[in-house]
Amino acid sequence: MQYGAPRNGGARFLNSQWKKTMRTYEANSPQAAGRILALMMVVDGNLASTELQAMHRSKILEHIDLAPAAFQQLLQDLCDDMLTSTVHGAVQLANGVIDSLLDEIDDPDLRRKLLQAMWKIADADDWLADGEAVLLARASAAWSAETNFRAHGA
């Protein structure tokens, strides 16, 4: 696996606040979980077919009860929301925004399943872009703070 800067620009993670608020979804809903997966796919600036294939092979959409067509709509909605945050043609996501998306998932089992699927998606194109690494690190840090997450994974 290669590591490095985002392909095609990718998303940049910032400490500043995002100008527009993202849509919110009910905690642990298929939409909240699906948006995390969609973000994992586009955060490197390139939606690779291998990433979609890896997601489908993981069966995560079935686990979260999200139809493929509904996932495609979530992906489109996420991209629309992200495009409102462009600065000089580049998408910039504040760390607080990422954290708020991750906070919509508070079920330890769902967190584990999503994190496993996120790694499969990141590994699918044999390239770990900076944005993917940041998202994985933030999800791991936020979600491993859950006592049950660490106890179950041990």
Side-chain angles (χ1 to χ4, degrees):
M1 175 170 291
Q2 297 178 353
Y3 302 88
R7 294 181 176 177
N8 302 326
R12 295 183 190 154
F13 293 87
L14 303 175
N15 290 321
S16 62
Q17 291 298 314
W18 198 13
K19 293 178 184 175
K20 180 187 181 289
T21 304
M22 298 272 289
R23 297 161 219 253
T24 57
Y25 297 113
E26 185 177 325
N28 304 314
S29 67
Q31 294 79 15
R35 177 170 50 191
I36 298 292
L37 298 169
L39 181 59
M40 191 70 224
M41 290 186 179
V42 299
V43 74
D44 65 354
N46 181 35
L47 178 60
S49 63
T50 55
E51 293 172 335
L52 284 167
Q53 292 165 3
M55 182 187 66
H56 289 296
R57 279 193 309 271
S58 77
K59 305 284 188 207
I60 188 68
L61 291 183
E62 289 87 352
H63 180 76
I64 64 173
D65 196 27
L66 189 66
F71 176 77
Q72 291 296 328
Q73 184 59 54
L74 278 172
L75 181 62
Q76 182 62 54
D77 291 345
L78 173 66
C79 290
D80 290 346
D81 287 350
M82 289 173 61
L83 286 174
T84 65
S85 72
T86 59
V87 176
H88 303 294
V91 173
Q92 297 187 353
L93 300 177
N95 287 335
V97 171
I98 300 306
D99 293 344
S100 70
L101 300 182
L102 294 170
D103 286 346
E104 289 183 344
I105 308 299
D106 60 17
D107 177 79
D109 182 56
L110 181 55
R111 286 175 170 182
R112 280 188 296 279
K113 298 283 188 190
L114 283 173
L115 198 53
Q116 290 168 353
M118 290 165 69
W119 272 106
K120 289 176 182 177
I121 291 165
D123 286 342
D125 61 0
D126 292 325
W127 177 265
L128 185 62
D130 291 346
E132 291 172 326
V134 168
L135 181 56
L136 286 165
R138 292 194 80 77
S140 296
W143 292 348
S144 69
E146 172 70 42
T147 303
N148 292 334
F149 185 90
R150 281 189 265 131
H152 184 76

